[in-house]
Amino acid sequence: MNIADLRKSYEKAELNENASHADPLQQFAQWLQEAIAAEVPEPNAMTLATVASNLRPSTRVVLIKGYDERGIVWYTNYDSRKGQELAGNPFAALQFHWVELERVVRIEGRVEKVSDEESDAYFHSRPLDSRIGAWASPQSQVIDGRTVLVTNAAKYAAQFMLNPPRPPHWGGYRLVPDNWQFWQGRKSRLHDRLRYTHEGSVWLRQRLAP
């Protein structure tokens, strides 16, 4: 089959100005909870896009670990490629794609590290293997083989036993949104697309052509 011939008709739902929330965070919370309730695969997975100092963009999938009026939170290795790129250019974009619901949410904004207290609290809530893994993996660095990871994991497990501390190179980021977009697939490619941008102290909601 020719890949250019693949087609899908979007007919599950609609998104209009009257039925959507005036606050994008409330709209996001509703859609995320609906994705969880629908049991879509990994509803908490989001694509994170960053830009390096040479202006080359890169993406990867991370997991949302919290959200509130301050922004969207995830955790990772600060020495990873995304960490290095955020250190040089503290702006990023996120995207959730809930295929089964025919929905996409795009979020853009400035990125900051969460507090040490928040990072510590989340780190110590993780399973032991995940905490050891944060020490064992020199994320984004070239390694000779999987044996390096297994050896590191064994070393740190023996060193820390049941109480590994949070590594100094590991913690949380928070994206502070200044632009939200909500996309709902519709029939005949006449999709619904609402954008929220800051207008003074309130959010301006506008419909965009798909």
Side-chain angles (χ1 to χ4, degrees), residues 65 74-80 113-116 118-126 130-131 133-135 137 139 165-173:
K65 292 301 179 180
W74 69 94
Y75 291 85
T76 190
N77 187 314
Y78 290 144
D79 294 335
S80 64
K113 288 183 178 179
V114 306
S115 68
D116 287 342
E118 289 175 274
S119 289
D120 286 340
Y122 174 68
F123 182 80
H124 291 294
S125 75
R126 305 177 83 207
S130 297
R131 285 178 278 155
W135 283 95
S137 174
Q139 194 174 107
R166 178 173 64 91
H169 57 262
W170 191 98
Y173 287 103

Side-chain angles (χ1 to χ4, degrees), residues 3-4 6-7 10 20 61 67-68 97 114 142 145 163 194 206:
I3 193 171
L6 292 174
R7 295 285 188 275
Y10 300 96
S20 61
V61 176
Y67 66 93
D68 55 25
H97 187 191
V114 306
V142 175
N163 296 297
L194 298 184
Q206 298 171 305

Side-chain angles (χ1 to χ4, degrees), residues 55-117:
L55 303 184
R56 290 179 66 100
S58 61
T59 66
R60 73 287 290 160
V61 176
V62 297
L63 302 179
I64 182 175
K65 292 301 179 180
Y67 66 93
D68 55 25
E69 66 282 352
R70 296 173 297 171
I72 309 294
V73 173
W74 69 94
Y75 291 85
T76 190
N77 187 314
Y78 290 144
D79 294 335
S80 64
R81 178 177 177 180
K82 55 186 170 296
Q84 294 176 20
E85 292 182 351
L86 287 170
N89 178 24
F91 293 89
L94 301 171
Q95 177 172 290
F96 292 83
H97 187 191
W98 298 307
V99 177
E100 293 77 8
L101 300 180
E102 301 173 353
R103 288 174 173 174
V104 173
V105 180
R106 296 164 56 187
I107 314 166
E108 300 174 16
R110 175 178 51 82
V111 177
E112 61 190 20
K113 288 183 178 179
V114 306
S115 68
D116 287 342
E117 291 76 15

Side-chain angles (χ1 to χ4, degrees), residues 39-52:
E39 298 183 342
V40 305
E42 295 195 279
N44 55 334
M46 57 187 185
T47 299
L48 165 65
T50 56
V51 178

